[in-house]
Amino acid sequence: MAQLIEVKVPDIGDFKDVPIIEIPVKVGDVIKAEDALITLETDKATMDVPSPVGGTVVEIKVTVGDKVAEGMLVAVVKVGADETAVKPAPVVDAPPPVCPEPVEGQLAATPLTSPVQPHGEIPAHIGSDYRPGDPELIVPTRPLMPSVSDLAAESMGGHSPHASPSVRHFARDLGVDVIRVKGSGPKGRITQADVTAFVKSVMSGVAPAATVAAPALGGGLDLLPWPKIDFTKFGEIETRPLSRIKKISGQNLARNWAMIPAVTYHEDADITDLEAFRVEMNKEVEKSGKKLTMLAFIIKAAVRALQEFPEFNTSLDGDNLIYKKYFNIAFAADTPNGLVVPVVKDADKKSVFDIARETGELAKQARDGKIKPTDMQGACFTISSVGGIGGTYFAPIVNAPEVAILGVNKSVMKPVWDGKAFIPRLMLPMSLSADHRVIDGALATRFNVYLAQLLGDFRRVML
């Protein structure tokens, strides 16, 4: 005897108001247990809601675009006399689908297929997932339905962009319409890198600002609200307010990361001889209270590099580039409340001893919370050194309105080939992030190489 079975959304985790992006069945379709009734799109991926029984679909209670949660009614399935509501049969692994290799920001589990085409008899090689209307593929895959924005694009004569759910979510977070983004993946598929590049092109004026939804704060990005999560559901928590320094720096860093199309370039500097000289000099001046630091040498070398490559000592002002004739070098100082960036003014006019003394004094004032605002203004170039902690390389964020920043890690002894044998050399890892609107890759690489040469033979600073 036939009976009607109500199919509801099962446990889908801690998700609410999940949109339906596809309904692959229609009223009257005969389905088997585990066939998908609807497809949902979460923040991370797509998921199918399967039918627990086989039978005939007599009613569909939802439409594409509806938002559902656990327990909501999806469809009604009629189970005939020979179709009983039993536990689903175990899923048999199918051969991997034939699809392009996944790229960064793309989910390999959700390949796109070609549009559905009419056909005749069901070929024998088609697997059990085959449904009437599917294209004849070696391995049948369910096509992803376009989102509401995609349908709107098609109705206006556009095209539906190829992008995974995670990339679409990433684009929505940045207020970007994926229809406007050109994909670099297989068959024009949009990747997360494509979305990021598009946002940076808008900020640099290459792409029209109108392609970003609803211009908002400074950066022109209409961001979604920050997710609200009750973390107490997962365990014990403790809430502490962000320090004032972290609040301010966080806002600046978020703006700089979104608005500056920065690229990071790496180079190793051989500082074997320079470190030996520094240690020797510190022994000689120990009684006088003076002390040389590697940071002081790097600042002095950076000034010489800025003089050699003046594009690094500039700032963008609309369509103009401002070249600075002064050399103020900022350095990141670690404090109990977060990073502070004091500035050594007129570093070109000061000796390495003067710079070492001043950086020490400014760092102490920053740690004690006594540094003045004027001591953190007017920088031309910033150096962020984490050598005292460790690390190999990192990509520092350019500090607007500067156009470059140098990251320095812990020096490491490495074997270096001198043409005859490997010899131990003390190598300093350097990471230069530069605003690509002003500084291209060739110029950034030349700057890095020149800076490494200065540190390798400090006599070059005087040339």
Side-chain angles (χ1 to χ4, degrees):
M1 181 177 179
Q3 64 179 118
L4 299 179
I5 303 295
E6 291 186 342
V7 180
K8 299 180 179 181
V9 178
D11 181 8
I12 55 175
D14 192 21
F15 291 105
K16 296 180 181 179
D17 297 329
V18 183
I20 299 173
I21 63 170
E22 179 187 1
I23 301 179
V25 298
K26 61 182 183 296
V27 173
D29 282 355
V30 177
I31 60 173
K32 295 183 289 295
E34 289 299 296
D35 279 355
L37 295 177
I38 61 173
T39 302
L40 308 178
E41 181 184 72
T42 68
D43 293 354
K44 306 297 182 183
T46 60
M47 65 175 72
D48 290 338
V49 174
S51 173
V53 297
T56 303
V57 179
V58 297
E59 193 174 0
I60 298 176
K61 297 290 188 179
V62 292
T63 60
V64 173
D66 287 352
K67 295 183 178 181
V68 298
E70 180 182 350
M72 291 186 63
L73 181 61
V74 173
V76 178
V77 179
K78 181 175 71 174
V79 179
D82 56 344
E83 297 163 333
T84 55
V86 295
K87 292 183 179 180
V91 179
V92 179
D93 291 337
V98 179
C99 61
E101 293 185 3
V103 295
E104 182 180 356
Q106 160 184 334
L107 296 179
T110 57
L112 295 175
T113 68
S114 58
V116 175
Q117 301 292 338
H119 56 81
E121 296 295 321
I122 299 176
H125 68 271
I126 299 297
S128 60
D129 276 350
Y130 182 84
R131 298 189 305 279
D134 278 346
E136 296 183 4
L137 300 175
I138 294 176
V139 178
T141 54
R142 190 173 298 113
L144 289 175
M145 294 296 288
S147 64
V148 176
S149 63
D150 300 337
L151 293 174
E154 291 180 344
S155 67
M156 294 185 292
H159 66 282
S160 177
H162 298 299
S164 68
S166 61
V167 171
R168 293 176 186 275
H169 178 72
F170 177 73
R172 286 197 299 269
D173 281 353
L174 295 178
V176 174
D177 187 350
V178 292
I179 296 172
R180 309 282 186 172
V181 180
K182 183 178 180 180
S184 62
K187 296 184 179 180
R189 191 173 183 86
I190 298 171
T191 67
Q192 183 169 320
D194 294 330
V195 177
T196 302
F198 174 80
V199 172
K200 291 182 177 181
S201 69
V202 171
M203 296 303 100
S204 63
V206 175
T211 57
V212 177
L217 299 176
L221 302 177
D222 185 18
L223 302 179
L224 293 175
W226 195 260
K228 297 291 185 180
I229 299 176
D230 182 8
F231 295 102
T232 59
K233 295 189 301 183
F234 310 112
E236 183 179 355
I237 67 170
E238 179 184 359
T239 302
R240 297 181 182 179
L242 277 174
S243 67
R244 180 175 176 273
I245 291 176
K246 288 184 177 180
K247 287 180 182 179
I248 296 173
S249 62
Q251 294 173 350
N252 289 330
L253 291 171
R255 177 203 59 199
N256 296 344
W257 184 90
M259 295 184 67
I260 299 175
V263 181
T264 302
Y265 307 84
H266 304 289
E267 183 70 34
D268 286 347
D270 186 341
I271 60 169
T272 310
D273 297 336
L274 181 59
E275 174 62 10
F277 174 73
R278 186 187 72 84
V279 172
E280 181 183 350
M281 288 301 300
N282 281 339
K283 289 180 180 178
E284 292 183 10
V285 299
E286 184 176 3
K287 295 181 179 180
S288 65
K290 296 180 180 180
K291 184 178 181 181
L292 289 175
T293 63
M294 184 56 65
L295 176 61
F297 283 107
I298 297 173
I299 289 176
K300 195 66 177 178
V303 169
R304 184 67 190 91
L306 292 177
Q307 292 171 336
E308 185 71 17
F309 298 91
E311 292 87 353
F312 283 80
N313 199 25
T314 63
S315 288
L316 272 172
D317 183 17
D319 293 333
N320 297 322
L321 195 58
I322 299 175
Y323 285 78
K324 302 161 191 173
K325 304 299 183 180
Y326 53 90
F327 299 89
N328 299 341
I329 309 298
F331 66 97
D334 189 18
T335 76
N337 294 318
L339 286 178
V340 176
V341 189
V343 179
V344 178
K345 306 288 179 60
D346 297 322
D348 58 316
K349 302 175 182 177
K350 296 174 180 176
S351 69
V352 179
F353 276 111
D354 292 334
I355 294 173
R357 175 186 52 77
E358 187 171 343
T359 54
E361 292 174 353
L362 289 171
K364 184 178 185 306
Q365 292 172 10
R367 288 191 297 269
D368 296 340
K370 297 179 180 179
I371 191 167
K372 300 186 292 292
T374 53
D375 290 330
M376 298 183 290
Q377 298 173 351
C380 305
F381 184 80
T382 297
I383 297 172
S384 179
S385 175
V386 294
I389 303 173
T392 306
Y393 297 97
F394 69 107
I397 299 175
V398 178
N399 187 23
E402 300 161 34
V403 296
I405 181 173
L406 179 70
V408 179
N409 284 94
K410 183 179 181 180
S411 55
V412 179
M413 193 67 71
K414 294 182 179 181
V416 178
W417 181 256
D418 67 351
K420 297 181 180 179
F422 285 102
I423 57 175
R425 304 296 291 179
L426 186 62
M427 307 302 291
L428 179 69
M430 302 189 302
S431 303
L432 177 74
S433 291
D435 188 335
H436 213 291
R437 295 172 298 179
V438 179
I439 298 165
D440 60 25
L443 184 60
T445 302
R446 290 189 181 99
F447 181 94
N448 247 1
V449 170
Y450 183 72
L451 184 59
Q453 291 174 344
L454 294 176
L455 294 174
D457 185 353
F458 209 74
R459 292 173 298 180
R460 294 173 179 265
V461 174
M462 297 181 294
L463 299 178

